[in-house]
């Protein structure tokens, strides 16, 4: 099973290349992969009574997320549909997309379709509920991409979004239910949860029942059961191969599969019966009636699919052996005839350019083979003997007639199934007559007369499935042994086991079948009372699509009103609202809830008290000052004071980082403040300023109270006590802070540096506006040589191009002398950070401060002389290095984003110990350096250039790092 998933994944990667190279013919090669997988499934078909084949791959054991695969009889049946019909659909694509004018998106489409087969196969063989949920959501995402294939059409975009929203929201509810079941039964394996629930029905608590209901919400949303039925007809905007596969054989069957899997354990619950049986029979009737009102061939089939999904839900959710056998029969029969009919519609649309039955007449005269294929599939859908659909329909009627469900459920459900089946017969006739009939026309309509020829490859897929519908009907006794495996294993033996057969004699179900066929013929008549009734806008039918639109409009209105109430365009008001919430919520919770008595010991060093007093004075001063630069400088005192506090209490690494970040932040503020007025305008009245000050004091008090309460509530030893030992044991480093960043929570760090990269790109984009410049400008080689040769040479080459009034000889000399030392310290911090204060972040900040010094001393040209590289490339290289740390650890058998140590003896250096986390740390180092360089280019050099027009027209030649001259 793992090999099949890997092969399908490799086929997904190869699909765009193959289709881009060979065009639609490449679909034939891609079909080999699911076809070969189908052969394997048939070869290892599970045998009733024997243990199921299992495979396992550890993923995240601590979260119970492992790829546990289990091939049961139910999973094997679903795998045949997923892989077999998937292979047929790929062959069909070779004909469908031949001669299509727009094939630009075809390679991507091929990859998405094969990927869907992979995740659908993973879904039906997953024993781990959480892994199954991952595959479940991937089907929603891939369905969104496939349905939205014609993205230039508004209808396709709307349909794709609608399908994604409905199925994903249902999936989120299902996730909560999965967690509830997994935590209650102590296992996240379907096999163990179901076995324990079957063995001990009393273990099903109220929480478990709620969890089951939530899972059912996910199942009925995926299988388009009322009230979530409206997304499936809308999804007909997709290409026909998508409709024939996702919406006939694969995706919509996922919910049916999940209900069938859980039915042995939970089908006796009242909530289950209301949702599965009640909504199932309602869906069958409602959607069947809607199918009679449509004129688009795909919409007729779409509403028919919804109707039959309701019937399938009733059968597999009944909770009995015989009903499940009937459900398995209808499940496979439906996949065969509905996939066939969708492919037939695709051929008609491809050849004639229309799917509207009002524009089709006498197509059967022109395409007799296609008409025969459609007639076989439609007869199976209507339940006409000797087709496979008849076997399934009769099995459904017989097993429901003798069901042991509580009265009056069997009678109600049987009546509902008869009504739904009569409607199925009616829209089957409507489909065939609308597509192929003469409808009173003496000659074919224009669309039919001008249709192009249909190639044999195009007909091969639907012909094969239509033939299987006939063969399976005749060979139903042999299929009984295959399909009854899961019902026999999952349910208690029935007193009178039902067996599939084409002929059971003259029975009541056969009489019901005859009545259903007769009623369907009457309903389908164009001049019958039913025809006049279905043309009216029935209030009972409603329009779920409009309800969906109304729900979206309501959500938009609520969000708009909420935004208007909270986001008034005033930054102080928004920030005040956030801070007020931050104060009130914890305080109210602490006041209402239980709390421990804090044990306070007031003691502090004199230095700490002095620093704290200085920070308080600086904070109050910042409130009173109007000069922007003075305010920033005073605020920075609090930052430096925090660093001193870290140092006092034994956190030198945090202190170092705090000092470096505060210094760099101060520089960035100064760079921006150059373009702002010196003093900030007075905003708000005096009372409002007092309120702001009080709010600030309240936030500070709240932080203190929450900290004291959290410390008092602690009942166990803090995890920090174990971190130093674990940091060296698993991360091979004595600097606990650095090991946490590059090993223990490396994934979090990777996300943070990605945010840094995005922030740098955003700042640069806002400042540069039109285009992102490359490396910082450099002084040309000729000018540099002249400056060095001249007796009045400067200490920094870039400063020669600055206005003498803005130069400082002391600063230039200091920068020239100190820059190499700072860079050496930066490299030292980088290499020593795993065992001493430092690390990639501190080293990068130190190197960034060195670049800041060069910029302040020599101006914008000096940046290019100090580091003649493009900031974007440095950022990209850093992110690539950080990601490479994952690959390196995996190559040596360690988990992703963890450390592997190598020890060896080298000349001169002696004993050397290298940790793979150094690669990750190097990526952090480069990203920080790139960020600083980007800030200096945007907030520094670019703003300098915009602020000095004379400099922009200077005749002095300068060159970029690439060697091209800029003027």
């Amino acid at each position: 099973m793992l090999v099949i998933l890997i092969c399908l994944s490799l086929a997904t990667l190869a699909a765009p290349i193959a289709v881009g190279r060979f065009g639609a013919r490449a679909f034939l090669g891609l079909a080999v992969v699911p076809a070969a997988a189908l052969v394997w499934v048939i070869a290892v078909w599970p045998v009733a009574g024997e243990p199921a084949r299992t495979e396992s791959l550890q993923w995240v054991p601590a979260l119970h997320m492992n790829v546990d695969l289990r091939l049961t009889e139910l999973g094997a049946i679903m795998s045949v549909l997923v892989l077999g019909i998937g292979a047929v659909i790929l062959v069909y694509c070779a004909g469908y997309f031949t001669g299509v004018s727009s094939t630009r998106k075809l390679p991507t489409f091929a990859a998405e379709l094969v990927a869907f087969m992979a995740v659908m196969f993973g879904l039906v063989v997953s024993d781990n509920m959480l892994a199954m949920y991952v595959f479940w959501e991937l089907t929603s995402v891939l369905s969104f991409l496939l349905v939205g294939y014609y993205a230039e059409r508004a209808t396709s975009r709307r349909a794709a979004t609608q399908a994604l929203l409905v199925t994903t929201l249902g999936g989120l509810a299902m996730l909560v239910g999965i967690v509830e079941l997994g935590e209650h039964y102590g296992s996240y394996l379907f096999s163990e949860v179901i076995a324990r629930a079957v063995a001990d029905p009393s273990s099903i608590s109220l929480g478990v029942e709620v969890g089951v209901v939530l899972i059912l919400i996910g199942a009925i949303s995926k299988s388009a059961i009322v009230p979530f039925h409206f997304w499936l007809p809308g999804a007909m905007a997709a290409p026909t191969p998508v409709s024939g596969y996702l919406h006939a054989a694969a995706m919509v069957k996922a919910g049916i599969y999940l209900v069938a899997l859980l039915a042995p354990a939970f089908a006796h619950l009242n909530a289950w019966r209301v949702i599965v049986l009640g909504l199932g029979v309602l869906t069958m009737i409602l959607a069947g009636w809607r199918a009679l009102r449509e004129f688009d061939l795909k919409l007729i089939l779409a509403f028919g699919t919804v109707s039959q999904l309701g019937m399938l839900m009733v059968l597999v959710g009944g909770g009995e052996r015989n009903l499940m056998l009937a459900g398995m029969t209808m499940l496979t029969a439906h996949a065969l005839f509905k996939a066939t009919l969708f492919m037939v519609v695709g051929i008609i649309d491809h050849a004639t350019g229309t799917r509207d039955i009002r524009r089709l007449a006498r197509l059967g005269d022109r395409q007799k083979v296609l008409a025969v294929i459609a007639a076989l599939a439609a007869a199976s859908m209507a339940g006409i003997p000797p087709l496979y659909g008849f076997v399934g329909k009769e099995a459904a009627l017989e097993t429901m007639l003798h069901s042991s469900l509580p009265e009056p459920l069997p009678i109600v459900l049987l009546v509902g199934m008869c009504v739904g089946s009569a409607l199925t017969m009616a829209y089957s006739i409507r489909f065939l007559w609308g597509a192929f009939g003469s409808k009173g026309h003496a000659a074919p309509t224009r669309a039919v007369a001008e249709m192009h020829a249909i190639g044999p490859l195009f007909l091969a897929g639907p012909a094969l499935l239509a033939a299987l519908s006939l063969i399976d009907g005749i060979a139903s006794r042999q299929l009984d042994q295959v399909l009854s495996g899961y019902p026999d294993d999952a349910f208690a033996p029935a007193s009178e086991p039902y067996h599939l057969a084409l002929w059971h004699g003259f029975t009541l179900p056969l009489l019901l079948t005859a009545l259903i066929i007769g009623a369907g013929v009457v309903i389908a008549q164009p001049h019958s009372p039913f025809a006049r009734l279905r043309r009216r806008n029935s209030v009972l039918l409603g329009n779920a699509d409009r309800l969906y639109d109304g729900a979206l409009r309501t959500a938009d209105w609520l969000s708009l009103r909420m935004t208007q109430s909270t986001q008034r365009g005033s930054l102080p008001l928004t920030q005040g609202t956030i801070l007020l919430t931050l104060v009130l919520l914890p305080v109210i919770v602490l006041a209402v809830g239980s709390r421990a008595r804090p044990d306070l010991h007031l003691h502090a060093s004199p230095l700490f008290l002095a620093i704290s007093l200085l920070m308080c004075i600086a904070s109050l001063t910042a409130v009173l000052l109007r000069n922007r630069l003075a305010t920033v400088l005073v605020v920075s005192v609090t930052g430096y004071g925090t660093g001193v506090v870290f140092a006092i209490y034994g956190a030198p690494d945090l202190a170092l980082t705090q000092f470096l970040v505060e210094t760099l932040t101060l520089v960035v503020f100064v760079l921006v403040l150059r373009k702002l007025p010196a003093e900030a305008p007075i905003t708000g009245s005096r009372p409002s300023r007092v309120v702001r000050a009080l709010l600030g004091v309240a936030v500070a008090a709240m932080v203190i109270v929450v900290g004291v309460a959290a410390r008092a509530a602690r009942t166990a030893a803090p995890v920090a006590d174990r971190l130093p030992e674990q940091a060296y044991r698993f991360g091979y480093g004595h600097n606990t802070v650095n090991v946490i960043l590059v090993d223990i929570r490396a994934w979090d760090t990777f996300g943070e540096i990605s945010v840094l990269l995005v922030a740098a790109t955003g700042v640069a984009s806002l400042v540069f506006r039109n285009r992102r410049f490359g490396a910082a400008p450099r002084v040309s080689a000729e000018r540099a040589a002249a400056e060095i040769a001249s007796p009045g040479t400067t200490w920094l080459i870039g400063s020669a191009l600055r206005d003498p009034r803005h130069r400082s000889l002391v600063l230039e000399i200091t920068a020239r002398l100190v820059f190499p030392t700072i860079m050496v310290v930066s490299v030292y911090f980088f290499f020593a950070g795993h065992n001493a204060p430092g690390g990639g972040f501190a080293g990068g900040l130190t190197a960034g401060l060195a670049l800041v010094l060069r910029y302040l001393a020599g101006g914008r040209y000096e940046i290019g002389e100090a580091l003649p590289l493009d900031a974007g490339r440095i950022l990209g290289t850093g992110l690539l290095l950080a990601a490479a740390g994952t690959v390196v650890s995996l190559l040596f058998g360690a988990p992703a984003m963890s450390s592997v140590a190598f020890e060896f003896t080298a000349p001169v250096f002696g004993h050397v110990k290298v940790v793979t986390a150094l690669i990750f740390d190097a990526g952090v180092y480069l990203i920080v350096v790139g960020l600083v360089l980007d800030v200096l280019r945007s907030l520094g050099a670019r703003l300098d250039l915009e602020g000095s027009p004379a400099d922009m027209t200077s005749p002095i030649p300068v060159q970029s790092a690439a060697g091209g001259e800029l003027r």
Side-chain angles (χ1 to χ4, degrees):
M1 291 176 280
L2 284 172
V3 173
I4 291 177
L5 285 175
I6 293 172
C7 290
L8 288 171
S9 301
L10 293 176
T12 300
L13 297 175
I17 302 173
V19 174
R21 174 69 178 82
F22 300 104
R25 292 175 298 170
F27 283 102
L28 298 176
L30 294 173
V32 173
V33 181
L38 174 64
V39 172
W40 180 86
V41 171
I42 295 174
V44 299
W45 193 271
V47 179
E50 295 186 3
R53 178 184 292 267
T54 59
E55 296 176 13
S56 182
L57 177 66
Q58 284 200 347
W59 184 10
V60 191
L63 299 178
H64 305 281
M65 289 188 69
N66 297 321
V67 184
D68 297 305
L69 306 180
R70 188 167 180 263
L71 187 63
T72 61
E73 294 94 337
L74 177 60
I77 293 171
M78 289 296 300
S79 297
V80 169
L81 302 184
V82 170
L83 299 172
I85 295 184
V88 173
I89 290 293
L90 287 175
V91 173
Y92 175 79
C93 286
Y96 185 85
F97 290 106
T98 298
V100 176
S101 58
S102 176
T103 58
R104 179 175 54 86
K105 295 179 290 186
L106 195 57
T108 305
F109 172 86
E112 292 164 355
L113 189 58
V114 178
F116 190 92
M117 295 178 191
V119 298
M120 193 66 200
F121 177 76
L123 188 154
V124 300
V125 298
S126 288
D127 193 28
N128 187 293
M129 293 190 289
L130 293 175
M132 186 279 300
Y133 173 76
V134 173
F135 288 119
W136 184 282
E137 290 302 279
L138 285 175
T139 61
S140 295
V141 173
L142 289 168
S143 172
F144 166 77
L145 297 174
L146 290 167
V147 172
Y149 177 77
Y150 300 112
E152 66 278 3
R153 302 176 184 173
T155 53
S156 293
R157 296 195 300 272
R158 183 183 188 279
T161 304
Q162 187 180 72
L164 181 67
L165 286 177
V166 173
T167 57
T168 302
L169 288 176
L172 290 175
M174 186 179 74
L175 177 60
V176 179
I178 287 173
V179 173
E180 175 62 36
L181 261 64
E183 291 301 312
H184 180 82
Y185 287 104
S187 174
Y188 280 84
L189 298 182
F190 276 116
S191 54
E192 294 183 3
V193 169
I194 294 171
R196 293 173 188 176
V198 171
D200 184 15
S202 62
S203 65
I204 302 177
S205 62
L206 178 60
V208 171
E209 191 164 355
V210 171
V212 171
V213 169
L214 293 173
I215 292 176
L216 288 178
I217 290 174
I220 66 175
S221 66
K222 185 76 80 173
S223 290
I225 302 299
V226 170
F228 304 108
H229 61 288
F230 55 89
W231 73 263
L232 181 56
M236 293 302 108
T240 301
V242 175
S243 303
Y245 184 56
L246 275 66
H247 305 139
M251 178 179 174
V252 294
K253 298 292 173 55
I256 305 297
Y257 161 77
L258 190 58
V259 170
L261 185 64
L262 297 176
F266 305 110
H268 63 281
L269 299 177
N270 291 329
W272 175 286
R273 287 171 176 165
V274 171
I275 295 174
V276 175
L277 304 182
L279 294 181
V281 72
L282 177 63
T283 302
M284 190 174 11
I285 298 172
L286 175 63
W289 184 256
R290 281 296 303 270
L292 294 173
R293 296 161 56 90
E294 302 298 332
F295 296 96
D296 187 308
L297 289 173
K298 278 182 76 173
L299 286 179
I300 293 174
L301 294 180
F303 280 108
T305 298
V306 175
S307 176
Q308 284 142 3
L309 288 172
M311 183 176 187
L312 286 172
M313 194 67 74
V314 170
L315 293 175
V316 303
E320 295 180 5
R321 183 263 177 198
N322 289 344
L323 287 174
M324 183 61 71
L325 176 59
M328 293 295 99
T329 308
M330 282 301 302
L331 181 74
T332 50
H334 176 266
L336 290 175
F337 64 67
K338 194 54 66 76
T340 301
L341 291 174
F342 271 117
M343 286 190 281
V344 167
V345 171
I347 293 172
I348 295 173
D349 189 16
H350 194 280
T352 65
T354 184
R355 301 192 305 259
D356 193 330
I357 61 176
R358 293 167 294 188
R359 299 177 58 191
L360 297 171
R362 293 194 172 274
L363 179 60
D365 297 340
R366 298 286 303 273
Q367 294 292 332
K368 291 183 172 57
V369 174
L370 186 63
V372 170
I373 293 172
L376 285 173
S380 182
M381 179 168 66
I384 305 296
L387 278 303
Y388 190 33
F390 165 76
V391 176
K393 191 72 64 68
E394 190 171 67
L397 296 175
E398 175 69 30
T399 55
M400 185 58 70
L401 188 64
H402 297 93
S403 170
S404 60
L405 290 171
E407 296 294 342
L409 269 181
I411 299 300
V412 173
L413 295 177
L414 182 64
V415 171
M417 290 171 60
C418 290
V419 173
S421 298
L423 294 174
T424 302
M425 180 69 195
Y427 64 70
S428 299
I429 297 173
R430 178 178 171 82
F431 175 87
L432 278 178
W433 181 251
F436 299 98
S438 62
K439 289 177 283 189
H441 290 262
T445 57
R446 180 177 179 180
V448 175
E450 296 177 356
M451 67 179 296
H452 64 70
I454 301 172
L457 185 63
F458 212 1
L459 289 169
L464 174 63
L465 297 185
L468 285 176
S469 293
L470 179 60
I471 294 171
D472 289 348
I474 298 172
S476 54
R477 287 188 181 275
Q478 289 71 28
L479 282 177
D480 179 77
Q481 301 176 5
V482 177
L483 298 179
S484 62
Y486 175 66
D488 288 339
D489 279 353
F491 296 93
S495 56
E496 296 182 7
Y498 182 84
H499 296 284
L500 300 178
L502 183 60
W503 176 253
H504 285 92
F506 293 99
T507 60
L508 180 57
L510 183 63
L511 176 61
L512 291 176
T513 299
L515 293 176
I516 288 169
I517 293 174
V521 172
V522 172
I523 294 173
Q525 295 304 309
H527 303 296
S528 67
F530 295 100
R532 292 192 296 271
L533 181 62
R534 68 171 179 257
R535 284 194 290 267
R536 298 175 184 174
N537 292 322
S538 175
V539 177
L540 294 176
L541 287 176
N543 193 320
D545 215 32
R546 292 178 183 172
L547 294 178
Y548 166 81
D549 291 335
L552 289 186
R553 285 194 299 269
T554 302
D556 289 341
W557 179 83
L558 288 174
S559 64
L560 180 61
R561 297 296 299 173
M562 186 177 296
T563 304
Q564 288 175 342
S565 302
T566 58
Q567 304 292 329
R568 297 181 176 273
S570 170
L571 182 59
L573 179 61
T574 301
Q575 188 178 25
T577 303
I578 295 172
L579 293 178
L580 186 62
T581 304
L582 181 64
V583 171
L584 293 178
L585 188 60
V587 170
I588 292 173
V589 172
L590 284 174
V592 174
S594 60
R595 53 198 177 278
R597 183 183 298 275
D599 184 16
L600 300 177
H601 299 280
L602 300 178
H603 59 84
S605 66
L607 180 58
F608 171 76
L609 293 176
I611 293 299
S612 301
L613 180 61
L614 183 61
M615 292 170 64
C616 291
I617 294 174
S619 301
L620 293 174
T621 305
V623 177
L624 301 176
L625 289 174
R626 287 185 57 196
N627 184 278
R628 286 191 167 98
L629 180 58
T631 303
V632 169
L633 292 175
V634 169
V635 169
S636 68
V637 172
T638 62
Y640 286 116
T642 304
V644 174
V645 172
F646 287 152
I648 292 173
Y649 287 97
D653 203 87
L654 294 178
L656 174 63
T657 305
Q658 178 68 26
F659 287 138
L660 293 172
V661 169
E662 191 63 41
T663 304
L664 187 60
T665 305
L666 180 60
V667 171
V668 173
F669 266 115
V670 170
L671 292 177
V672 174
L673 290 179
R674 294 177 303 161
K675 299 299 179 180
L676 297 176
E679 293 189 355
I682 299 176
T683 58
S685 60
R686 182 180 296 273
S688 68
R689 294 198 297 273
V690 173
V691 170
R692 296 178 191 176
L694 292 175
L695 182 59
V697 173
V699 171
M702 183 276 301
V703 171
I704 296 172
V705 170
V706 170
V708 171
R711 185 177 180 86
R714 176 174 289 156
T715 57
V719 68
D721 294 344
R722 299 179 57 194
L723 280 178
E725 176 191 352
Q726 300 299 324
Y728 189 79
R729 179 182 176 186
F730 296 105
Y732 310 101
H734 288 291
N735 184 352
T736 306
V737 174
N738 185 259
V739 173
I740 289 174
L741 291 175
V742 300
D743 188 309
I744 297 175
R745 44 156 268 181
W747 285 105
D748 189 36
T749 305
F750 187 79
E752 291 174 352
I753 60 178
S754 302
V755 171
L756 275 178
L757 189 147
V758 172
T761 304
V763 170
S765 301
L766 288 173
V767 174
F768 290 126
R769 294 193 300 274
N770 297 327
R771 65 186 180 92
R772 185 186 179 94
F773 292 81
R778 298 183 61 191
V779 181
S780 66
E782 296 82 3
R783 180 56 185 264
E787 288 294 332
I788 294 174
S790 64
T793 184
T794 61
W795 285 85
L796 298 174
I797 297 176
S799 63
L801 304 181
R802 302 186 72 184
D803 190 325
R805 294 174 299 174
H806 299 156
R807 291 176 58 183
S808 170
L809 184 60
V810 174
L811 186 58
E812 291 177 20
I813 296 173
T814 303
R816 181 69 175 267
L817 297 177
V818 174
F819 179 79
T821 305
I822 298 178
M823 292 304 298
V824 170
V825 173
S826 167
V827 174
Y828 167 77
F829 280 153
F830 168 68
F831 282 105
H834 210 58
N835 293 288
F841 190 69
L845 287 173
T846 306
L849 290 176
L851 293 175
V852 169
L853 181 61
R854 289 285 290 267
Y855 165 72
L856 294 177
R860 64 179 181 272
Y861 294 111
E862 191 61 27
I863 305 176
E865 300 300 321
L867 189 60
L869 295 173
D870 180 20
R873 294 183 179 180
I874 297 176
L875 290 166
T877 304
L879 192 64
L880 188 63
L881 270 178
T886 303
V887 179
V888 171
S889 59
L890 289 175
L891 292 177
F892 291 99
M897 293 288 183
S898 62
S899 300
V900 179
F902 301 94
E903 298 187 44
F904 56 90
T905 302
V908 180
F909 295 99
H911 181 75
V912 177
K913 183 176 181 180
V914 178
V915 182
T916 55
L918 192 69
I919 301 173
F920 185 88
D921 226 7
V924 176
Y925 182 95
L926 289 179
I927 284 180
V928 174
V929 172
L931 173 66
V932 175
L933 183 61
D934 224 4
V935 169
L936 291 177
R937 288 171 57 251
S938 55
L939 300 181
R942 184 62 181 171
L943 294 185
D944 288 345
L945 189 64
E946 292 179 352
S948 53
D951 215 7
M952 293 175 63
T953 58
S954 173
I956 299 175
V958 297
Q959 65 178 11
S960 68
E965 287 196 353
L966 302 172
R967 294 187 181 272

